[in-house]
Amino acid sequence: MERILSGIKPTGELTLGNYIGALRHFKDFQNRGDVYIFIADLHALTMPIEAETLRNNSRDIAAFYLASGLDPKRCTIFLQHTVPAHAELNAILQNYLYMGELKRMTQFKDKCSKMNDNQIGLGIFAYPVLMAADILLYDATIVPVGEDQVQHVEITRDLVHRFNSRYGEVLVLPRAEVTKVGARIMSLCDPSKKMSKSDPKGDIFLKDPLSVSRKKIMSAVTDSGSEVRFDPAAKPGISNLLTIYAALKDITPQEAEKRFAKFRYGDFKKAVAEAVEEELGPFKARYEKIIADRSYISVLRDGAKKASLVAAKTLRRVQKAVGLLSVDE
Ligand code: AQP
């Protein structure tokens, strides 16, 4: 049986990119294996964030998880910090990844390119170590991610090979699974940049009123010419909108292109806005109900207990392998 693990960092308000690249697929994982979905709150601390913002974002993600169709009876939903084994395994694994490889991580380079060494926390540098701990604690075989996180799953795989060749088959080798359509939704203002919650220009937020997301789509940057064609290099703006539409309708961007071949930009944008409204309308309604009744709190509490049992077993296996003396028996 597959073990599937995924999570979202509560670094900002969730975007349509997070929805298309991650949230939208979560419920289907429940038909494919044993699912662990967490709120990566320790990861969110790797860049400056206000305490109240972090708390609110974490609540929102919990409610969005439930609104996405995740069923706490069929999966485990939890906050990362409520399972101490994440930090404990991190303390061990940090000795098996090296400065040279961490320095080469694209996320680290992107996030820290404009900072000097006295502004860069150790956490953002060592981010892949904690992410490896997140994955390995649950013996995850599949890690669904957007394109940007594939590199971190790859470094986790390197770590597993390194660790297991020294200590035997202790850690389970995970593999990244990238969303087929929509693994990298771009900003509506600048389609050369990813739509990111920590860089809100050109984002559609899941909490935006539908009229606001419609306006944002209608004023999205397009390309010269008037043809609706899927060509990310020559027509990045239109291609991004085609990708959004295709992802929401479960078709390919090429099929979407055919559907809109005779459309003008304005009518095409209207159709994309409608597709977003149709999908996000009911989703947002479910979120509003969950955030109001606070049902997510008990889900997170139960999730922490369930996740801790599994994580503690893996941690013990690793501690034993590296030679940490047990006093349990
Ligand atoms: N633009 C995107 N298109 C498709 N998928 C996306 N994801 C994020 N942005 C897009 C996917 O959402 C999940 C949660 O991501 P995360 O919070 O763990 O980290 P991230 O990829 O760094 O997301 P952000 O929104 O860009 O966060 P910040 O701004 O804090 O760095 C992942 O599956 C991710 O791939």
Side-chain angles (χ1 to χ4, degrees):
M1 164 122 109
E2 301 282 12
R3 272 275 170 89
I4 304 168
L5 175 123
S6 199
I8 298 182
K9 304 191 286 266
T11 39
E13 287 202 22
L14 292 203
T15 71
L16 184 65
N18 298 129
Y19 180 80
I20 289 177
L23 274 174
R24 188 166 187 270
H25 308 280
F26 284 177
K27 71 172 181 306
D28 297 336
F29 297 151
Q30 297 173 131
N31 302 323
R32 294 177 54 200
D34 196 7
V35 179
Y36 291 80
I37 302 285
F38 69 107
I39 298 167
D41 50 3
L42 293 174
H43 283 291
L45 288 172
T46 57
M47 294 305 270
I49 185 163
E50 291 298 326
E52 198 48 32
T53 308
L54 176 55
R55 262 190 293 275
N56 287 333
N57 291 343
S58 300
R59 285 189 194 104
D60 275 345
I61 294 184
F64 279 130
Y65 280 169
L66 294 171
S68 76
L70 281 173
D71 174 359
K73 291 193 201 81
R74 298 176 67 205
C75 68
T76 307
I77 304 173
F78 61 101
L79 286 154
Q80 186 184 26
H81 87 274
T82 59
V83 180
H86 287 252
E88 293 175 80
L89 186 60
N90 179 65
I92 297 176
L93 296 184
Q94 65 187 350
N95 303 299
Y96 300 88
L97 282 177
Y98 303 126
M99 302 266 291
E101 19 188 34
L102 295 176
K103 268 188 203 161
R104 285 196 292 275
M105 292 291 108
T106 310
Q107 175 183 271
F108 173 67
K109 288 196 281 191
D110 285 352
K111 298 244 182 228
C112 301
S113 61
K114 293 194 185 96
M115 295 158 86
N116 67 45
D117 281 358
N118 292 325
Q119 295 168 313
I120 301 171
L122 198 54
I124 188 68
F125 181 64
Y127 188 105
V129 183
L130 182 58
M131 181 156 160
D134 301 334
I135 296 169
L136 299 174
L137 274 176
Y138 301 95
D139 294 335
T141 48
I142 300 180
V143 186
V145 284
E147 269 170 18
D148 280 19
Q149 295 291 339
V150 171
Q151 202 182 29
H152 290 158
V153 181
E154 288 304 315
I155 202 174
T156 303
R157 288 169 62 86
D158 293 344
L159 189 154
V160 170
H161 289 306
R162 189 172 295 157
F163 194 94
N164 286 356
S165 68
R166 182 157 165 196
Y167 298 108
E169 290 302 304
V170 178
L171 300 172
V172 173
L173 189 68
R175 68 170 199 279
E177 190 176 272
V178 180
T179 312
K180 285 196 189 74
V181 178
R184 199 172 156 81
I185 300 297
M186 311 308 276
S187 155
L188 297 184
C189 295
D190 176 359
S192 69
K193 283 195 180 150
K194 191 181 83 153
M195 187 181 284
S196 250
K197 53 182 136 56
S198 62
D199 183 9
K201 251 177 87 196
D203 283 5
I204 289 184
F205 295 112
L206 300 182
K207 282 168 71 174
D208 280 344
L210 293 176
S211 58
V212 172
S213 25
R214 171 175 282 266
K215 262 193 207 135
K216 287 182 178 175
I217 291 169
M218 294 310 293
S219 55
V221 166
T222 44
D223 314 293
S224 54
S226 57
E227 207 187 347
V228 177
R229 184 158 51 86
F230 186 70
D231 182 345
K235 290 183 151 272
I238 290 294
S239 300
N240 189 36
L241 293 174
L242 279 168
T243 304
I244 292 174
Y245 182 89
L248 295 177
K249 296 291 181 191
D250 295 313
I251 58 174
T252 64
Q254 288 75 14
E255 285 167 330
E257 178 192 87
K258 275 192 205 132
R259 223 173 258 189
F260 295 109
K262 299 214 169 86
F263 278 57
R264 290 165 184 276
Y265 280 176
D267 292 332
F268 164 57
K269 282 175 161 180
K270 250 187 230 163
V272 177
E274 263 157 37
V276 169
E277 275 177 33
E278 266 170 34
E279 177 101 6
L280 291 190
F283 173 71
K284 282 157 65 67
R286 289 193 294 275
Y287 157 82
E288 296 294 352
K289 187 170 173 293
I290 296 162
I291 206 79
D293 71 17
R294 292 172 55 83
S295 49
Y296 57 87
I297 292 283
S298 60
V299 170
L300 294 175
R301 201 181 303 123
D302 294 348
K305 280 188 206 141
K306 271 165 73 185
S308 294
L309 288 176
V310 178
K313 277 194 193 144
T314 315
L315 180 66
R316 270 201 292 280
R317 207 165 70 222
V318 173
Q319 287 169 334
K320 196 171 161 206
V322 299
L324 297 175
L325 179 65
S326 167
V327 291
D328 285 344
E329 56 216 44

